[in-house]
Structures are given as C-alpha cells and as structure tokens.
Amino acid sequence: MQNEPPDPILQLKVVTGLSKLSQVMKTQAWKGATPQRLTPTQGQILRRLHTAKRGLPLSQLATDLGITAATASDAVSMLVKKQLVVKTRDPQDGRQLQITLSPTGIQEAEKALEWTDFLSQAVGTLDAAEQGVLLQTLMRLIQVLQHNGQIAPVHMCFNCAFFRPNTYADPQAPHHCQFIGAALKVQELQLDCPDHQKLPVLSE
C-alpha cells in the first residue's frame, strides 16, 4: 500500500501540538530553576555535563545544545559565578579549557534532570506500541532537522552507518544494526549511541 500524501491541515495540527509541548517544557524549566535561578540554557548545560560524566570544551557544549558559542560562553560564565561549574585545563591538551561540574553543580544538575519528569509521566500513559511509534516518528523528525542544519548533530540510529532500516518483516524488530550484527527491536533504537558512526558524505 502506498503512503498517503501529507495532509496540510493535519500537518498544522501536529506542528501546533509540538509547539504546545515546547512551551510547557520551557515553563517547567523556569519553574525548576530556583533557588539558583537557572535559565533554561544554564540548566541544559548542567544536564549535558552530568550525562557526559566528564568535562567538555565550550565548543562541544555549544554544538551539543545547538546554540552559538557566544550564548554558551555567557551561560558558562554565569554558572562559574554561581560556583556550579569550573574551568579546568584539558589534561591531554593544555591549550584547551574544559567545563566541569562542581560538587554543588552536580546536585543542581540532578535537580535539572527532574525538569522533564512531568513529560516522562505523560509518556508513561502510552502503551509500548504507542511509545515505539512515537520514538521512531521523533527520530525521523530529528533526522530531517539535522539534515537541514536546524538541530545539533545527534548520534542516533537513523543517521548511523551501521543502521539498516526495515530489513525484517517483524514489526517488533524491523531494523538491523551491523555493529552488533543483529536485529534491532524498536525499544532498542538509540538517540545517543556511544558506538555511533557518522554516515559518509557522498560527493556530488
């Protein structure tokens, strides 16, 4: 069966729904910013450093969060003043500075990770099949935005050289990963895979 063409009215409704989710996430981020009065960007930096479990250079933070170097620099400067992060020399390259969480910053980062708890609870009301469809749909949207240069690079299955989509007839495990040499279940799809390999750029 051929795919139906996009419905402009349905498309607008989906965009409106995504916009509402974006608005509520920003609102929740501001609510969770006390008592340090973190901005959403500052909270994102703390969360990224926490999930990375290591220091990151300023340029990497900017790339990962999809913000300009200037915006990242301003946010980090405020976090340094709040004693939530520290700047240290890269042990492998003394010319480069790394941003690292302070002990207090680790505590604040863990609080910032709770900002999305409300969304996790909402997603938890969906059954496994609905969650799988939502995950694959989100990954397709991220893939398009990344291709258009509108979102920071994401190390996910859909843009990995090891990924082979829709290889199998099993709807529960339709994809194949060449890295592990096995079928991938929908719930095994990765959004930030440590073994990700960037797709080669094809010449014109």
Side-chain angles (χ1 to χ4, degrees), residues 20-171:
K20 291 184 180 297
L21 286 177
S22 175
Q23 291 170 0
V24 72
M25 290 187 71
K26 289 180 180 179
T27 300
Q28 290 293 327
W30 281 112
K31 287 182 179 179
T34 57
Q36 290 286 355
R37 302 193 66 80
L38 301 175
T39 65
T41 298
Q42 292 169 12
Q44 285 182 314
I45 289 175
L46 294 183
R47 292 170 60 179
R48 180 68 189 100
L49 290 173
H50 190 280
T51 55
K53 301 186 185 302
R54 60 185 175 86
L56 295 174
L58 184 67
S59 59
Q60 185 65 52
L61 282 172
T63 298
D64 289 352
L65 300 180
I67 57 180
T68 65
T71 298
S73 179
D74 290 343
V76 167
S77 294
M78 290 304 300
L79 290 171
V80 170
K81 290 181 180 179
K82 295 176 181 179
Q83 300 183 337
L84 299 179
V85 302
V86 293
K87 294 181 179 180
T88 58
R89 291 289 175 185
D90 187 332
Q92 297 181 347
D93 184 357
R95 297 169 300 176
Q96 190 174 54
L97 287 173
Q98 286 196 329
I99 315 302
T100 308
L101 290 172
S102 68
T104 304
I106 293 175
Q107 296 176 3
E108 288 300 319
E110 290 173 349
K111 293 178 183 178
L113 288 170
E114 297 174 356
W115 293 1
T116 56
D117 279 356
F118 78 99
L119 194 55
S120 179
Q121 293 172 2
V123 174
T125 64
L126 305 177
D127 63 31
E130 291 172 322
Q131 290 177 355
V133 170
L134 179 58
L135 173 60
Q136 294 187 93
T137 302
L138 289 173
M139 291 177 75
R140 286 187 61 188
L141 289 176
I142 292 171
Q143 185 179 31
V144 171
L145 293 173
Q146 181 173 311
H147 177 75
N148 294 339
Q150 297 165 321
I151 193 172
V154 179
H155 293 170
M156 63 180 182
C157 292
F158 279 21
N159 57 17
C160 179
F162 295 124
F163 185 67
R164 297 294 180 268
N166 303 315
T167 304
Y168 307 105
D170 183 359

Side-chain angles (χ1 to χ4, degrees), residues 3-24:
N3 293 331
E4 297 182 11
D7 182 333
I9 296 178
L10 183 58
Q11 182 174 324
L12 179 59
K13 290 179 180 180
V14 171
V15 172
T16 300
L18 291 174
S19 297
K20 291 184 180 297
L21 286 177
S22 175
Q23 291 170 0
V24 72

